[in-house]
């Protein structure tokens, strides 16, 4: 079945450092890929997405490129801030794969906790 | 536009009891999914509803059930609660043809 593997961390960086969180996936079809972020005590917020190979998703200085040849979707940011401290989840979906047209299910990685220190 | 709303935010229940959680999706979204988040297992898919029909179900026992109403609001029910059911339960909604899901803040269930 589908699966997502991401570096589990925790990752601790100094402010303004470069961030990379690795994510690789296994899927039988052509999934859409996502990064979600979770702040303490909160639900998940969609950070960025890519729906086909070579697409680059970007938001708030974060970027990730859908690499079909390496089945990867690594998250990067050039200069992290203290406010970026959170847990980051890589996820995929294959709409319509399960039980019928349009059915929607996300498969998540285990999450990577990022702490940014001043 | 209002986001996904889950109620209540926190619940404390005793083993053996049952609990009902509620989710109101973003206006116009007709697909509602539920996920369980625990430190050990991470985020696991429970089920998905569309137009009042369960389209997909994860690998959870029959004690976990759900339903969706004609206004797309959804509820999930857990019967005969066990300590291991303590978790953050997240609801997400999607629009028809959409590629992403939007999550609520979750309901934190503690079973004692």
């Amino acid at each position: 079945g589908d699966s997502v593997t991401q570096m589990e961390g925790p990752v601790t960086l100094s402010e303004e450092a470069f961030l990379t969180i690795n994510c690789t996936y296994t899927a039988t079809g052509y999934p859409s890929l996502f990064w979600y972020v979770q702040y303490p005590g909160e639900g998940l917020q969609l950070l960025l997405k890519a729906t086909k190979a070579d697409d680059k998703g970007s938001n708030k200085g974060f970027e990730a490129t859908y690499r079909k040849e390496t089945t990867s979707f690594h998250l990067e940011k050039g200069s992290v801030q203290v406010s970026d401290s959170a847990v980051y989840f890589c996820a995929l979906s294959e709409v319509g794969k399960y039980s019928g047209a349009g059915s929607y299910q996300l498969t998540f990685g285990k999450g990577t906790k990022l702490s940014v220190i001043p | 536009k209002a986001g996904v709303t889950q109620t209540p935010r926190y619940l404390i229940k005793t083993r053996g009891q049952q609990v009902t959680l509620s989710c109101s999706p973003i206006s116009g979204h007709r697909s509602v999914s539920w996920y369980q988040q625990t430190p050990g297992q991470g985020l696991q898919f429970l089920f998905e509803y569309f137009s009042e029909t369960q389209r997909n179900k994860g690998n959870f026992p029959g004690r976990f059930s759900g339903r969706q109403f004609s206004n797309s609001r959804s509820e999930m029910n857990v019967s005969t609660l066990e300590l291991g059911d303590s978790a953050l339960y997240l609801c997400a909604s999607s629009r028809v043809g959409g590629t992403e899901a939007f999550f609520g803040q979750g309901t934190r269930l503690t079973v004692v």
Side-chain angles (χ1 to χ4, degrees):
Chain A
D2 295 349
S3 66
V4 175
T5 303
Q6 64 178 106
M7 54 189 287
E8 291 193 19
V11 174
T12 302
L13 296 174
S14 297
E15 207 165 22
E16 298 184 3
F18 184 85
L19 168 71
T20 299
I21 301 177
N22 291 335
C23 171
T24 57
Y25 68 90
T26 301
T28 54
Y30 300 92
S32 294
L33 302 174
F34 308 89
W35 278 99
Y36 282 88
V37 59
Q38 186 174 37
Y39 297 99
E42 300 293 323
L44 299 176
Q45 295 179 24
L46 178 64
L47 183 59
L48 54 83
K49 69 172 186 177
T51 58
K52 61 183 187 297
D54 300 325
D55 267 3
K56 177 186 280 189
S58 61
N59 186 27
K60 300 180 182 179
F62 291 90
E63 294 183 340
T65 301
Y66 190 140
R67 301 286 188 201
K68 192 170 186 301
E69 64 277 11
T70 54
T71 61
S72 64
F73 192 55
H74 305 321
L75 182 67
E76 296 182 336
K77 186 176 186 184
S79 175
V80 294
Q81 305 300 312
V82 172
S83 57
D84 294 327
S85 298
V87 181
Y88 292 81
F89 292 92
C90 185
L92 68 80
S93 73
E94 290 193 81
V95 176
K97 176 177 180 179
Y98 302 97
S99 303
S103 60
Y104 194 92
Q105 176 179 337
L106 284 162
T107 301
F108 288 92
K110 293 287 190 184
T112 302
K113 183 175 181 180
L114 170 67
S115 297
V116 181
I117 54 177
Chain B
K1 200 171 187 180
V4 178
T5 304
Q6 291 188 246
T7 56
R9 287 291 309 275
Y10 303 93
L11 268 176
I12 300 175
K13 291 287 187 178
T14 304
R15 269 183 303 173
Q17 287 186 313
Q18 75 166 20
V19 66
T20 299
L21 313 181
S22 180
C23 172
S24 293
I26 292 171
S27 178
H29 287 194
R30 294 167 59 190
S31 168
V32 174
S33 304
W34 290 87
Y35 294 82
Q36 181 195 65
Q37 185 178 23
T38 59
Q41 298 299 316
L43 282 152
Q44 294 185 284
F45 172 77
L46 279 157
F47 27 65
E48 186 231 1
Y49 285 87
F50 180 83
S51 291
E52 303 178 64
T53 301
Q54 186 183 92
R55 287 199 297 196
N56 194 7
K57 190 178 193 307
N59 188 24
F60 278 82
R63 300 185 297 107
F64 291 82
S65 62
R67 60 178 175 168
Q68 187 181 33
F69 302 95
S70 58
N71 62 357
S72 295
R73 190 177 70 86
S74 177
E75 290 181 346
M76 68 163 282
N77 183 278
V78 188
S79 62
T80 320
L81 283 165
E82 301 176 0
L83 295 178
D85 298 333
S86 295
L88 181 66
Y89 289 88
L90 292 163
C91 168
S93 75
S94 308
R95 61 177 177 82
V96 175
T99 56
E100 67 262 35
F102 298 90
F103 284 80
Q105 290 190 299
T107 295
R108 172 74 63 185
L109 171 64
T110 302
V111 182
V112 297

